[in-house]
Amino acid sequence: MGTILLASPSVRRIKEKYPAAEITLLTLSENKELCSILHSFDKKLYLDLGNPIKFITGYLRILCIIRKEHYDTIIDLEFITNFSALTTLLITIFSQPKPVIGFDSPVRWRNAVYSHKVSFDHSRHISKIFAKMFAILRLDSNTISLDKDQEELLHAAD
């Protein structure tokens, strides 16, 4: 949930710079409520980890949806698990987007998935690291701010 919230200012900046961009978010079903509040994403795909059968059928359904799409760019914001890199690899097989952006990793196969790798600097706040990732898309990272997202969350709480 925190990743989505902290990445949303960068996503909003993409929409401001590229108004015709259509942004799809793939996340866990536990994040549905938060995602309903944030309006930066045009499409939201949710993966249910509740039980193995739901996970497998849901994942296959999502892969079928993704196969029909033709993504120009993929940004993998996951820095802990390798599952997102595997999913990114499968998406690139279907649509061959450029760039494919992700975190530099000691895991060799994971690095091979990305055309642009960003180092994870543990001394910086994650929102700044995400801004660095999105800067590859020629966004001015100095204009990325959490203020607008905090306003959306406050209004949704009313």
Side-chain angles (χ1 to χ4, degrees):
M1 191 178 330
T3 297
I4 295 168
L5 184 59
L6 293 172
S8 62
S10 296
V11 173
R12 189 180 64 253
R13 184 69 181 105
I14 289 173
K15 293 295 278 186
E16 290 168 0
K17 183 163 184 170
Y18 305 105
E22 189 171 293
I23 299 175
T24 302
L25 172 70
L26 172 58
T27 189
L28 301 176
S29 57
E30 292 87 28
N31 298 322
K32 236 180 212 181
E33 190 174 340
L34 172 64
C35 292
S36 69
I37 297 168
L38 300 173
H39 304 290
S40 300
F41 304 99
D42 300 298
K43 293 181 184 175
K44 299 157 191 152
L45 303 173
Y46 299 103
L47 189 57
D48 188 351
L49 299 178
N51 70 51
I53 304 243
K54 277 187 175 183
F55 168 74
I56 291 169
T57 57
Y59 191 63
L60 293 174
R61 181 185 59 79
I62 285 172
L63 288 177
C64 288
I65 291 169
I66 288 170
R67 187 175 184 183
K68 294 175 185 174
E69 299 290 333
H70 298 283
Y71 296 106
D72 297 322
T73 303
I74 294 177
I75 302 173
D76 181 356
L77 298 175
E78 179 58 54
F79 49 92
I80 297 173
T81 69
N82 290 321
F83 180 74
S84 65
L86 176 63
T87 303
T88 300
L89 175 63
L90 294 173
I91 295 169
T92 60
I93 290 169
F94 298 137
S95 57
Q96 300 178 342
K98 293 290 182 209
V100 180
I101 305 164
F103 287 110
D104 191 19
S105 169
V107 180
R108 273 193 170 138
W109 74 265
R110 183 174 176 154
N111 284 336
V113 172
Y114 308 119
S115 61
H116 294 77
K117 292 174 276 305
V118 175
S119 62
F120 192 92
D121 181 355
H122 293 278
S123 67
R124 301 188 73 190
H125 191 272
I126 190 69
S127 62
K128 297 294 183 189
I129 297 170
F130 287 157
K132 185 174 155 184
M133 290 183 85
F134 285 92
I136 293 169
L137 302 175
R138 293 182 172 79
L139 300 177
D140 178 5
S141 61
N142 293 328
T143 64
I144 297 172
S145 163
L146 285 171
D147 294 342
K148 196 166 192 172
D149 295 298
Q150 289 170 342
E151 286 177 29
E152 280 185 28
L153 290 173
L154 287 174
H155 290 300
D158 292 342

